[in-house]
Amino acid sequence: MWLAPEEVLVAHALWVTERANPFFVLQRRRGHGKGGGLTGLLVGTLDVVLDSSARVAPYRILHQTQDSQVYWTVACGSCRKEITKHWEWLENNLLQTLSIFDNEEDITTFVKGKIHGIIAEENKNLQPQGDEDPGKFKEAELKMRKQFGMPEGEKLVNYYSCSYWKGRVPRQGWLYLTVNHLCFYSFLLGKEVSLVVQWVDVTRLEKNATLLFPESIRVDTRDKELFFSMFLNISETFKLMEQLANLAMRQLLDSEGFLEDKALPRPIRPHRNISALKRDLDARAKNECYRATFRLPRDERLDGHTGCTLWTPFNKLHNPGQMFISNNYICFASKEEDACHLIIPLREVTIVEKADSSSVLPSPLSISTKSKMTFLFANLKDRDFLVQRISDFLQKTPSKQQGGSLGGRRVSTVDPAPEAKEKAKEEAWDIHFFEYGRGMCMYRTAKTRQLVLKGIPESLRGELWLLFSGAWNEMVTHPGYYTELVEKSMGKYSLATEEIERDLHRSMPEHPAFQNELGIAALRRVLTAYAFRNPTIGYCQAMNIVTSVLLLYGSEEEAFWLLVALCERMLPDYYNTRVVGALVDQGIFEELTRDFLPRLSEKMQDLGVISSISLSWFLTLFLSVMPFESAVVIVDCFFYEGIKVILQVALAVLDANMEQLLDCNDEGEAMTVLGRYLDNVVNKQSISPPIPHLHALLTSGDDPPAEVDIFDLLKVSYEKFSSLRAEDIEQMRFKQRLKVIQSLEDTAKRSVVRAIPGDIGFSIEELEDLYMVFKAKHMASQYWGSSHTAANRRDPSLPSLEQYRIGASQFRELFASLTPWACGSHTPVLAGRMFRLLDQNKDLLINFKEFVTGMSAMYHGDLTEKLKALYKLHLPPALSPEEAESALEATHYFTEDSSSEASPLTSDLDLFLPWEAQEAPPQEEREESGNGDVREKKEEEKGTSPPDYQHYLRMWAKEKEAQKETIKDLPKMNQEQFVELCKTLYNMFSEDAREQDLYHAIATVASLLLRIGEVGKKFSARTRRAHTGDHRGAAEEDGPPTPEPQQDPTRALQPPAAGGAQGKAGGDTHMEKAAQESQAVAEGGSGEGQGSPCQFLSDDETRDDVSVSSYSVVSTSSLQCEDLTDDTVLVGGEARSPMASSRAVGTVDTDWCISFEQILASILTESVLVNFFEKRVDISAKIKDQKKVERQFSTNSDHEQPGVLG
């Protein structure tokens, strides 16, 4: 056992050194074992007399360094075998590592830390795995959260002691594996290493052993290569890392909507028992293996397995193996591969009996089925539990008649010789059924495989395909399901149905069955029903070819369930929108070509042939490239063996054409060679009439290649490449899936970046970096967000640009870290306005293009463009609902002669929502836009109906037209909005180096603009005074009397009595009151005519003056700026002017408003403001900081930053 290192001063007293190296010594206690002489006798006597043998183990290992006289105990053992195991571990894992260190003190520190880590891990594994959290686990999880800033929703799965290689130096520490991240932390010799990797960023995960890294785990991301080694149990660690990385890839693939394993706990659910999370993941892996081995439905859950023996009557033997029990099946797999596989559906069981035990047959159990078969199991440990389980199932299941197996169609014969061979095959299968049983409960042995390889008879093909694929199980447990799907899907239009209609007549047009409407209609129903069942896949090209062959050998319902088995279990992810599964197996094919055909591999890579041929071969199971009667034999083997057969045949085809392929000069020549070969693969045993193959044109030439018998090709493929194992293929699939999905993600990133307009201002590198930051924020919301986050709204059918979207809270976080307009505590408010401005379709989510457009408005363009963006942030729709209520009212009641100016401008960068959509529609349309119908309508337009394309064309045309607008088209800003703009500028300058100069400049500009607004108000009041009587009369006719404005002229003149801080805090309150009063007045009377709006705003304007005054008081108290103080007096003076106090009840003021041109002209008078907005800001540094926070990919102690990744 490993021991906590303790110092030993006299190392050789009473001990004999048996092995030694520069860093460790293995010693045996004198008097133990053979020899020892007189000294050994004395020591042995002392041990016995003093009874110290219980405390002193006979073997130990010491750590030493060459120049030190001090030794440290690191391990002890009660026998040679135990101590030798520890010694070999040290030699294999530490010896080479320690030779790298220069300092002997560092060596000793490292060894002690490593041994302590091993002991801690061993103790952790001894913790009781009960219903409560093991104390060590809970402690480790809390430490992980604190160390890496993880939120409560991130659950620890397991943690391991290991070393992380930084350069050539190992850093001993702890590896934490969470549901979404791989984390490592080490603190050694004053140096700290802290890193976090998201599983979705992992591009490669391998376990390997090299001279430099002894038995290590390699983790690659796009920009780093990480090596971890010196694990106590490297296999367990690697297996768990594989599972977690695989889950992340499934998440990127986004197949959880339909194919998600519901048993896997979602990370957002609180898990009281952390150790249970690892057990759940282990159970998930066992479930997947169990279902794949026995071809069971995806919802089948493994309850447990136990060792037993099965009596096989065909060879009169008791076969040892494992029995697997799940909720609907009992399965058996022999220890010797191919000896026997058995599947017993519990629905088929009639009798379960406990037979009498004997010394020859202990704990026997007899199970009888409806097909009159009896199975005898023995050596069962939990026989009583198993009997009870089956009995409970039988009690719950009503007895019902199962339909008989349906054979395939018999086809008229052409040649008596093939007919004789066909009869021989049928007889062989009849004998096999007699000996091994028929139906689901058939014994599956090596003899079964041999019969399949010789070809399945036409009459049995449909039945055996259903049997071997497991489709029969799903069909009999879902009676009527297909008929119901057909009824539901008939008449439903979608993009899938459009593609199906287009491909129907391309599906085996050479076959008579699909040359009439009867066969076409059946194919249409099967494909449409499946698209309706699984919208994630919908329809993919190649499904029509495979389904048409399935229909030739069974009914529509049987073909449907065979298609389900193919798409969802046997060829996972093959037929989704990105054919990921086929690309994964293409990668496996390339890897196998390197291993088995190294001469050809490099040539094929140069020609680029593999990627061209393998997709069509794999997606259609050779049906599209071989004569039908030959390809169907490969499909026979595929349903029995799985993808292994397809890979073997593909390798055999390349091997058979190796010399010709090596002589090829280009891809086209190689494709011709392979096409001619495959066209001449014949099935001489087929009884079907020969069907002309569409690729037969390739065989035309002077010397057509010789015919190849399909059975000879299969025989060669098994002889040369039969070493392929299903387990190895699954392992390779995982490795390739990482590459393929990350490659697809990179492709999506490039396509999204290309979709960004060229005038956006950012470089390609900056856009790619922004995309990664944006995606990371989306993924974080997917990990820990609520049920209404972007993660749950992700639609894989949308274009790449729409795949990743973020909500308001995620945007606020990104805005705060990336914006050049930092506004301190006001930043979240500004971020909220920017989000509302960018969210054009009002679905509370923005995509990457909208995000980048908002960023570009702040970073690029001239002074006018930046000010325009800032100006729009203080107008609807950017204003919050509370502010907008008043602001919209004011905007709507502007003088009508400026209505032409209300058609607003979108930025030259195609930036913001067209203003027509916000203000131009009449009142009825505005009311209608408030309800949920608009969102549904937009979702429909985004869907797959024909108007979809017209909608996008209209949007594109509208975007192009918007660029013609100028700054004159921007709506004017009322006083409340202007106050908000001033507040933003005030906060924006608070952290600048030239803070005082900027405050002085903005005070001057604000003073000037306030005067301009007041002058405009006076001028408008004079022009309307003559019409006041008429408008008042109109108002009295149309609604209740207008409230008398300013009955107490001094009411508006009371500034806040408190100091500056209180005044600042009250600024928003004043504006809220102003908004409420404006709304109340507007409801009180709705006058007609040009002057009527002014009636509603006199009191409101006065209150606006107070708001400005209070804001100015704040500025004065905090800045002591004379201009700003003067401005305060100015506004106050205007409010108390004789004109204001002598206004008659019937007179009204015009709206206080300011235009964008006036703001722009005023700011241009202050060079310090111009320089501030024209100053170039580099976004790269901000992106780098954001990446560090998001991913914590750092070698520094930056884990103390709060809220990392959360």
Side-chain angles (χ1 to χ4, degrees):
M1 61 183 288
W2 298 104
L3 299 174
E6 291 185 5
E7 194 172 323
V8 177
L9 293 176
V10 184
H12 298 285
L14 310 182
W15 293 86
V16 179
T17 299
E18 293 199 336
R19 294 189 189 182
N21 60 44
F23 303 105
F24 297 99
V25 177
L26 190 155
Q27 295 183 333
R28 173 177 52 83
R29 180 84 165 168
R30 290 183 185 273
H32 186 83
K34 297 179 181 179
L38 182 59
T39 311
L41 286 173
L42 287 172
V43 173
T45 304
L46 282 171
D47 286 346
V48 172
V49 171
L50 300 175
D51 195 25
S52 61
S53 57
R55 297 189 299 275
V56 180
Y59 296 96
R60 71 179 182 181
I61 297 176
L62 304 178
H63 164 63
Q64 62 159 2
T65 52
Q66 290 179 353
D67 298 332
S68 173
Q69 300 300 315
V70 179
Y71 291 77
W72 300 83
T73 57
V74 294
C76 67
S78 57
C79 64
R80 187 177 295 276
K81 182 179 179 182
E82 180 185 2
I83 203 70
T84 303
K85 181 182 174 184
H86 290 332
W87 177 262
E88 288 175 352
W89 190 92
L90 291 170
E91 282 194 326
N92 293 333
N93 290 278
L94 286 187
L95 210 55
Q96 195 169 0
T97 305
L98 297 177
S99 61
I100 296 172
F101 288 90
D102 297 324
N103 191 336
E104 291 189 354
E105 289 184 9
D106 293 353
I107 293 174
T108 302
T109 305
F110 180 85
V111 170
K112 289 164 69 176
K114 185 65 197 172
I115 300 302
H116 279 300
I118 292 172
I119 293 170
E121 189 167 350
E122 283 184 335
N123 292 339
K124 176 198 70 175
N125 291 334
L126 294 175
Q127 288 291 322
Q129 302 293 307
D131 289 334
E132 295 303 318
D133 292 344
K136 293 283 185 183
F137 243 104
K138 193 70 178 173
E139 184 182 334
E141 185 180 42
L142 292 172
K143 185 177 179 182
M144 177 271 298
R145 290 221 186 98
K146 182 181 178 184
Q147 207 79 53
F148 304 104
M150 294 289 178
E152 189 72 24
E154 184 68 346
K155 294 299 178 182
L156 178 67
V157 181
N158 212 347
Y159 63 104
Y160 301 93
S161 169
C162 69
S163 293
Y164 161 61
W165 290 78
K166 183 167 169 44
R168 292 173 58 90
V169 181
R171 301 293 178 90
Q172 177 63 29
W174 288 95
L175 182 72
Y176 298 91
L177 304 181
T178 73
V179 174
N180 301 301
H181 299 84
L182 175 153
C183 312
F184 178 84
Y185 181 77
S186 169
F187 186 84
L188 192 66
L189 305 175
K191 294 182 179 178
E192 186 176 50
V193 177
S194 173
L195 59 90
V196 174
V197 180
Q198 294 184 45
W199 288 118
V200 291
D201 289 336
V202 173
T203 58
R204 184 176 179 181
L205 185 62
E206 287 182 348
K207 181 175 70 172
N208 50 26
T210 63
L211 290 174
L212 183 61
F213 304 120
E215 202 172 24
S216 61
I217 294 177
R218 174 177 177 172
V219 182
D220 287 6
T221 65
R222 287 178 176 82
D223 48 5
K224 290 285 183 180
E225 292 180 2
L226 309 175
F227 291 89
F228 301 93
S229 66
M230 288 179 272
F231 291 91
L232 189 64
N233 189 341
I234 192 169
S235 297
E236 178 197 331
T237 310
F238 183 70
K239 184 179 177 184
L240 182 58
M241 291 169 79
E242 265 191 337
Q243 282 182 275
L244 293 168
N246 210 10
L247 286 175
M249 293 307 103
R250 304 297 301 179
Q251 185 182 43
L252 284 178
L253 191 56
D254 203 29
S255 56
E256 64 264 22
F258 181 76
L259 300 177
E260 178 185 20
D261 185 349
K262 298 294 192 295
L264 178 71
R266 298 294 293 167
I268 57 172
R269 295 178 189 166
H271 246 280
R272 289 180 62 253
N273 188 354
I274 300 169
S275 58
L277 186 55
K278 172 149 188 342
R279 288 206 301 273
D280 286 343
L281 286 168
D282 291 341
R284 186 185 198 272
K286 289 178 181 176
N287 275 330
E288 288 176 350
C289 182
Y290 169 64
R291 291 193 296 259
T293 303
F294 298 103
R295 306 276 169 80
L296 298 176
R298 291 186 64 88
D299 57 354
E300 198 62 23
R301 300 282 176 267
L302 178 65
D303 285 343
H305 57 91
T306 181
C308 68
T309 59
L310 171 65
W311 170 255
T312 48
F314 51 86
N315 59 3
K316 307 293 190 293
L317 288 175
H318 289 284
N319 276 289
Q322 289 278 325
M323 175 191 278
F324 300 87
I325 301 105
S326 58
N327 36 345
N328 295 299
Y329 297 88
I330 295 174
C331 301
F332 176 85
S334 59
K335 282 188 178 178
E336 184 185 345
E337 196 176 6
D338 291 342
C340 182
H341 267 221
L342 179 66
I343 302 169
I344 308 174
L346 292 179
R347 65 178 182 271
E348 296 281 341
V349 175
T350 54
I351 301 171
V352 182
E353 292 180 303
K354 288 192 286 186
D356 294 333
S357 294
S358 66
S359 57
V360 180
L361 209 61
S363 302
L365 180 69
S366 171
I367 300 177
S368 300
T369 67
K370 295 174 183 176
S371 55
K372 309 300 182 192
M373 294 181 71
T374 301
F375 303 96
L376 185 62
F377 296 93
N379 292 288
L380 283 163
K381 294 178 183 176
D382 300 317
R383 184 173 64 159
D384 294 337
F385 169 77
L386 184 59
V387 171
Q388 186 62 43
R389 177 66 192 268
I390 299 172
S391 301
D392 292 343
F393 180 88
L394 295 179
Q395 287 174 3
K396 288 188 291 185
T397 308
S399 59
K400 57 183 177 181
Q401 292 293 323
Q402 301 291 340
S405 297
L406 297 176
R409 302 186 182 93
R410 295 298 299 270
V411 187
S412 59
T413 61
V414 177
D415 188 354
E419 174 68 14
K421 288 184 179 178
E422 185 77 3
K423 278 199 172 298
K425 286 182 190 176
E426 289 178 3
E427 288 173 7
W429 276 99
D430 287 340
I431 294 168
H432 186 272
F433 291 148
F434 179 77
E435 291 184 1
Y436 296 86
R438 187 168 186 170
M440 279 310 299
C441 301
M442 177 174 69
Y443 294 101
R444 303 170 195 215
T445 66
K447 180 76 180 294
T448 315
R449 175 189 281 115
Q450 291 170 12
L451 283 176
V452 171
L453 285 174
K454 290 177 182 176
I456 297 176
E458 295 276 325
S459 59
L460 295 173
R461 188 163 269 141
E463 174 189 346
L464 292 176
W465 283 3
L466 285 167
L467 196 66
F468 296 147
S469 66
W472 179 255
N473 283 322
E474 291 191 280
M475 189 171 76
V476 297
T477 53
H478 295 84
Y481 176 81
Y482 171 71
T483 308
E484 185 183 336
L485 266 184
V486 170
E487 290 173 358
K488 285 182 180 177
S489 61
M490 288 305 286
K492 294 285 177 67
Y493 178 87
S494 69
L495 193 60
T497 58
E498 183 182 326
E499 292 174 348
I500 289 168
E501 288 298 325
R502 192 170 60 238
D503 284 352
L504 280 176
H505 295 278
R506 305 176 189 171
S507 309
M508 295 188 68
E510 66 274 18
H511 198 286
F514 298 100
Q515 291 172 355
N516 57 66
E517 187 54 36
L518 192 65
I520 295 293
L523 183 60
R524 177 188 292 113
R525 285 191 293 272
V526 173
L527 290 173
T528 307
Y530 185 77
F532 194 76
R533 164 188 163 88
N534 188 349
T536 305
I537 291 177
Y539 170 77
C540 172
Q541 281 189 334
M543 285 172 69
N544 59 320
I545 296 172
V546 175
T547 308
S548 59
V549 174
L550 301 178
L551 275 168
L552 292 175
Y553 295 100
S555 65
E556 281 184 39
E557 185 177 17
E558 290 168 346
F560 171 80
W561 286 111
L562 281 168
L563 186 62
V564 168
L566 270 176
C567 296
E568 295 172 17
R569 287 188 281 111
M570 300 189 72
L571 296 176
D573 305 320
Y574 258 59
Y575 299 106
N576 59 23
T577 50
R578 299 189 283 181
V579 293
V580 172
L583 292 172
V584 167
D585 285 349
Q586 175 183 297
I588 294 174
F589 183 45
E590 291 180 9
E591 193 175 333
L592 292 173
T593 307
R594 283 194 297 273
D595 294 342
F596 288 104
L597 307 170
R599 278 182 63 208
L600 189 59
S601 174
E602 191 174 342
K603 179 74 174 181
M604 297 292 278
Q605 289 293 334
D606 293 341
L607 296 177
V609 175
I610 288 185
S611 58
S612 303
I613 58 173
S614 53
L615 274 184
S616 61
W617 292 3
F618 295 160
L619 281 169
T620 65
L621 307 176
F622 286 98
L623 287 164
S624 64
V625 294
M626 251 187 216
F628 166 72
E629 58 274 8
S630 302
V632 82
V633 177
I634 295 178
V635 178
D636 291 343
C637 300
F638 167 75
F639 277 121
Y640 188 80
E641 293 268 43
I643 193 64
K644 167 186 169 181
V645 175
I646 305 297
L647 293 168
Q648 285 180 185
V649 172
L651 288 170
V653 170
L654 292 186
D655 185 47
N657 294 277
M658 183 182 293
E659 298 305 324
Q660 288 177 275
L661 289 170
L662 288 172
D663 294 335
C664 291
N665 297 316
D666 56 41
E667 180 186 358
E669 194 177 342
M671 295 287 286
T672 303
V673 168
L674 292 170
R676 286 160 64 89
Y677 177 86
L678 289 170
D679 277 330
N680 285 274
V681 176
V682 298
N683 179 4
K684 296 175 182 177
Q685 300 177 17
S686 173
I687 62 170
S688 306
I691 298 169
H693 191 230
L694 289 179
H695 288 205
L697 293 172
L698 289 170
T699 62
S700 59
D702 298 332
D703 53 340
E707 290 184 344
V708 180
D709 190 88
I710 181 62
F711 296 102
D712 292 340
L713 181 62
L714 277 172
K715 184 180 177 184
V716 169
S717 75
Y718 271 87
E719 286 174 352
K720 290 192 173 183
F721 310 110
S722 60
S723 58
L724 278 178
R725 292 166 53 87
E727 296 83 0
D728 299 334
I729 291 173
E730 282 305 313
Q731 186 68 32
M732 286 190 283
R733 272 181 167 172
F734 163 73
K735 182 179 171 183
Q736 293 296 331
R737 194 177 290 120
L738 287 178
K739 289 182 182 177
V740 168
I741 293 182
Q742 296 294 7
S743 172
L744 289 172
E745 287 293 306
D746 290 340
T747 303
K749 176 176 71 176
R750 287 192 292 271
S751 67
V752 167
V753 168
R754 281 199 300 269
I756 304 301
D759 58 354
I760 208 73
F762 292 115
S763 67
I764 296 294
E765 292 75 16
E766 288 172 339
L767 284 172
E768 289 184 348
D769 288 341
L770 280 170
Y771 178 83
M772 295 308 294
V773 169
F774 184 87
K775 175 183 166 184
K777 190 59 70 176
H778 168 92
M779 299 308 294
S781 72
Q782 197 165 16
Y783 300 151
W784 307 306
S786 67
S787 59
H788 300 291
T789 59
N792 293 315
R793 303 189 191 188
R794 184 181 178 191
D795 183 359
S797 65
L798 291 172
S800 300
L801 192 62
E802 297 283 341
Q803 286 293 308
Y804 296 112
R805 297 182 291 171
I806 59 174
S809 59
Q810 290 87 37
F811 179 79
R812 274 196 296 272
E813 294 167 11
L814 283 180
F815 184 90
S817 57
L818 297 177
T819 179
W821 296 345
C823 298
S825 59
H826 192 64
T827 302
V829 177
L830 200 62
R833 292 175 183 167
M834 177 69 83
F835 182 84
R836 287 189 289 274
L837 201 55
L838 296 174
D839 182 19
Q840 298 190 15
N841 58 2
K842 303 301 171 193
D843 63 351
L844 305 180
L845 296 169
I846 62 169
N847 63 28
F848 179 67
K849 181 180 178 183
E850 293 165 336
F851 169 74
V852 168
T853 310
M855 287 292 112
S856 178
M858 295 183 288
Y859 275 95
H860 301 291
D862 55 14
L863 171 70
T864 305
E865 289 297 324
K866 290 180 179 177
L867 284 177
K868 191 193 299 180
L870 190 62
Y871 184 83
K872 288 180 180 179
L873 290 178
H874 298 83
L875 294 174
L879 289 178
S880 64
E882 294 80 11
E883 297 165 334
E885 188 175 3
S886 172
L888 273 173
E889 201 67 48
T891 308
H892 179 63
Y893 287 113
F894 278 163
T895 55
E896 292 193 7
D897 58 355
S898 65
S899 60
S900 61
E901 296 179 9
S903 79
L905 164 74
T906 50
S907 167
D908 290 341
L909 297 172
D910 185 24
L911 192 53
F912 303 124
L913 178 65
W915 292 94
E916 295 95 338
Q918 293 301 322
E919 297 168 0
Q923 184 66 30
E924 310 89 68
E925 290 182 23
R926 280 204 304 275
E927 290 172 359
E928 189 178 324
S929 68
N931 56 39
D933 294 341
V934 172
R935 186 177 301 174
E936 293 174 8
K937 183 178 178 183
K938 286 183 180 293
E939 288 173 359
E940 288 175 6
E941 289 178 347
K942 280 188 175 182
T944 54
S945 54
D948 181 33
Y949 312 111
Q950 298 173 13
H951 166 73
Y952 280 114
L953 283 171
R954 284 197 302 272
M955 291 294 290
W956 178 76
K958 191 180 291 185
E959 289 171 358
K960 292 299 178 187
E961 288 174 7
Q963 295 184 359
K964 300 174 184 175
E965 295 166 335
T966 64
I967 60 174
K968 292 183 178 180
D969 297 318
L970 283 169
K972 292 185 177 181
M973 180 178 279
N974 66 21
Q975 195 171 62
E976 181 183 10
Q977 294 158 355
F978 178 70
V979 169
E980 287 296 325
L981 176 62
C982 290
K983 187 188 292 186
T984 299
L985 291 169
Y986 166 78
N987 285 284
M988 193 183 295
F989 302 148
S990 62
E991 297 176 6
D992 194 271
R994 303 190 63 184
E995 182 179 352
Q996 291 299 324
D997 293 339
L998 287 166
Y999 282 147
H1000 191 282
I1002 198 60
T1004 304
V1005 168
S1007 174
L1008 176 61
L1009 289 170
L1010 284 166
R1011 290 191 187 99
I1012 291 171
E1014 291 295 329
V1015 170
K1017 185 195 294 187
K1018 292 176 186 175
F1019 178 77
S1020 182
R1022 288 196 205 99
T1023 57
R1024 297 182 187 180
R1025 192 170 296 143
H1027 304 286
T1028 302
D1030 295 339
H1031 293 313
R1032 188 173 62 240
E1036 289 171 357
E1037 286 179 19
D1038 293 343
T1042 305
E1044 295 182 356
Q1046 288 196 351
Q1047 293 178 4
D1048 181 6
T1050 63
R1051 192 181 99 194
L1053 310 179
Q1054 299 170 358
Q1062 185 178 347
K1064 181 175 180 180
D1068 289 339
T1069 309
H1070 281 293
M1071 280 180 276
E1072 287 175 11
K1073 287 182 180 177
Q1076 292 166 1
E1077 290 181 21
S1078 174
Q1079 177 68 18
V1081 174
E1083 290 173 355
S1086 54
E1088 297 176 0
Q1090 192 172 4
S1092 60
C1094 308
Q1095 296 175 344
F1096 313 136
L1097 293 167
S1098 58
D1099 191 44
D1100 191 36
E1101 283 167 0
T1102 312
R1103 187 59 61 96
D1104 276 344
D1105 287 348
V1106 178
S1107 299
V1108 175
S1109 298
S1110 69
Y1111 180 73
S1112 302
V1113 169
V1114 177
S1115 305
T1116 306
S1117 62
S1118 57
L1119 301 177
Q1120 289 83 37
C1121 174
E1122 290 182 4
D1123 283 338
L1124 208 54
T1125 309
D1126 292 339
D1127 182 39
T1128 308
V1129 172
L1130 166 75
V1131 178
E1134 289 290 342
R1136 289 190 296 269
S1137 65
M1139 179 182 290
S1141 56
S1142 62
R1143 281 176 188 155
V1145 172
T1147 59
V1148 292
D1149 287 343
T1150 59
D1151 299 337
W1152 188 102
C1153 60
I1154 203 84
S1155 70
F1156 176 72
E1157 295 99 312
Q1158 291 166 331
I1159 292 177
L1160 176 62
S1162 302
I1163 287 179
L1164 285 172
T1165 63
E1166 296 291 335
S1167 61
V1168 65
L1169 291 176
V1170 173
N1171 293 337
F1172 176 84
F1173 283 104
E1174 288 189 339
K1175 148 178 93 176
R1176 302 287 294 179
V1177 181
D1178 183 18
I1179 197 173
S1180 302
K1182 290 180 177 289
I1183 294 174
K1184 190 175 180 182
D1185 292 341
Q1186 174 64 17
K1187 276 187 173 181
K1188 185 184 291 186
V1189 171
E1190 285 289 351
R1191 300 175 58 211
Q1192 281 284 289
F1193 216 130
S1194 168
T1195 55
N1196 304 316
S1197 65
D1198 47 4
H1199 60 266
E1200 293 183 3
Q1201 299 181 28
V1204 174
L1205 273 171

